[in-house]
Amino acid sequence: MNNNDIGIRLKKTKNLYSKFFTFAICILILCLACSVSFAAKAKTKKRIYRPRMRIAVSNSFLYDVANFIIKPEIFSVRNIGNGTPGGSDIFITMTSNQKRFASRSKSLTYFATTVDYDGSPCEYDYYDSSKIPYIILNTMKAISAHDKNNYLHYQKRLAIYQSILDSTLQVGEKLLKNITLLDLTGHTGYILSSCAKRCVKPPKEVVPAWKNGDIEHLQATIKQANLRNMLIVTDFATDPIIVENVKKLATKHFHMTGYEGGSFSSYLAENFGVLRDLLAKQTEMEKVNGSSKTKQQKTYKRR
């Protein structure tokens, strides 16, 4: 075997090795690409098809709070009212009588408020500005207990919700800071009284008598409030007989509508807007009446 043959064989061997290494590298790259693609698809599928935890709430206020606080990719919220929380993972309620419904399902039940001193459920506590922070804090705790990794997010959203609500209540405080109320409301009086300078509420035993026909005493109470320049407030839960007489006789009357859903802060802002316009008209009327009285007094003195 001469040198030329040896050189040719070495070249062929080198070519074979280079082809083998090239082929191996191509296979390795292909395997890596397939594994990356498979992992990406797996992650995508997991992100898209991950089931959200289902939250059921018992009223519109809890729905507003929970819907504001949650991360939508992790939780979904529905308002079941007085219904059953079937099919839900978490049940947040303000009424103790719904406990029997929750016991029949697999939902974890959380009470967002306390039971009243007489044992009745406080389902309208969201009309009491002193209890609202307690309700929204308990709602946040119920949600964050099932997603502890995002606790700071829920805490931040709670703070924002409370801040918006506080700003709205400050509007009411500015409107009512120099006004005394006669509270004839059924549920919303706590929010209005917390904003007012002073609030007078009739004894509990008096209201049933008014409902049963003691109209003379009711009308006398309204006339007395007029003499004291009080703002008489009623709401959606006030007995129709009382509302009718207040509309006929009161010189200052504000009727608070009920909350039926949506943003609770917007609901309060709308009512405070109506109250602002009412007070502005009343002030204007008092100025006109005052100026007319002054003119009459001047005319009388000239005579």
Side-chain angles (χ1 to χ4, degrees), residues 5-215:
D5 292 336
I6 293 170
I8 290 167
R9 286 188 177 183
L10 286 171
K11 283 182 181 179
K12 286 182 178 181
T13 305
K14 286 180 180 179
N15 288 336
L16 285 172
Y17 276 121
S18 62
K19 286 179 180 179
F20 173 77
F21 281 120
T22 303
F23 178 75
I25 290 168
C26 289
I27 294 294
L28 183 62
I29 292 170
L30 184 63
C31 289
L32 287 170
C34 288
S35 64
V36 169
S37 176
F38 179 77
K41 285 181 180 178
K43 283 184 180 179
T44 305
K45 285 182 179 178
K46 193 174 182 180
R47 184 165 56 249
I48 293 173
Y49 297 109
R50 178 186 177 184
R52 294 189 296 173
M53 292 196 73
R54 294 160 296 183
I55 302 172
V57 296
S58 64
N59 61 37
S60 299
F61 179 75
L62 290 175
Y63 179 83
D64 180 44
V65 175
N67 201 46
F68 189 90
I69 291 175
I70 64 164
K71 289 177 77 71
E73 64 270 24
I74 297 174
F75 295 102
S76 64
V77 188
R78 65 189 178 106
N79 179 14
I80 63 169
N82 292 320
T84 59
S88 301
D89 302 300
I90 305 167
F91 179 41
I92 306 173
T93 180
M94 291 175 64
T95 56
S96 57
N97 61 349
Q98 284 184 312
K99 191 174 183 179
R100 66 180 188 275
F101 297 136
S103 63
R104 298 173 192 169
S105 69
K106 295 180 180 179
S107 307
L108 291 172
T109 303
Y110 297 88
F111 291 99
T113 188
T114 56
V115 175
D116 204 355
Y117 64 90
D118 60 357
S120 59
C122 302
E123 55 187 306
Y124 293 104
D125 268 2
Y126 53 86
Y127 287 120
D128 187 344
S129 56
S130 67
K131 293 182 180 179
I132 288 176
Y134 180 77
I135 296 169
I136 62 176
L137 177 62
N138 284 345
T139 304
M140 188 275 288
K141 285 180 178 179
I143 293 169
S144 62
H146 298 271
D147 185 24
K148 294 180 181 178
N149 292 334
N150 290 304
Y151 179 81
L152 291 177
H153 165 83
Y154 302 124
Q155 195 176 42
K156 180 180 177 182
R157 296 296 291 173
L158 179 146
I160 294 171
Y161 188 94
Q162 185 68 58
S163 176
I164 295 169
L165 190 60
D166 289 344
S167 299
T168 308
L169 288 171
Q170 284 173 8
V171 174
E173 289 172 3
K174 288 179 181 178
L175 290 172
L176 297 171
K177 64 180 179 180
N178 296 319
I179 293 177
T180 302
L181 302 181
L182 175 60
D183 181 9
L184 302 182
T185 61
H187 295 305
T188 60
Y190 288 111
I191 278 198
L192 294 171
S193 62
S194 67
C195 298
K197 173 186 176 184
R198 185 167 174 264
C199 182
V200 177
K201 195 170 179 69
K204 285 188 176 182
E205 62 272 11
V206 172
V207 177
W210 291 348
K211 293 178 183 179
N212 293 328
D214 190 1
I215 304 301

Side-chain angles (χ1 to χ4, degrees), residues 265-302:
S265 294
S266 297
Y267 153 75
L268 290 178
E270 288 173 8
N271 275 277
F272 288 150
V274 174
L275 178 60
R276 181 188 62 240
D277 295 340
L278 180 80
L279 294 175
K281 286 181 182 178
Q282 190 66 38
T283 304
E284 190 63 31
M285 286 176 61
E286 288 175 356
K287 286 181 180 178
V288 171
N289 292 335
S291 61
S292 62
K293 284 182 181 179
T294 304
K295 286 180 182 178
Q296 288 176 0
Q297 288 174 355
K298 288 181 178 179
T299 306
Y300 178 78
K301 284 179 180 180
R302 286 174 185 174

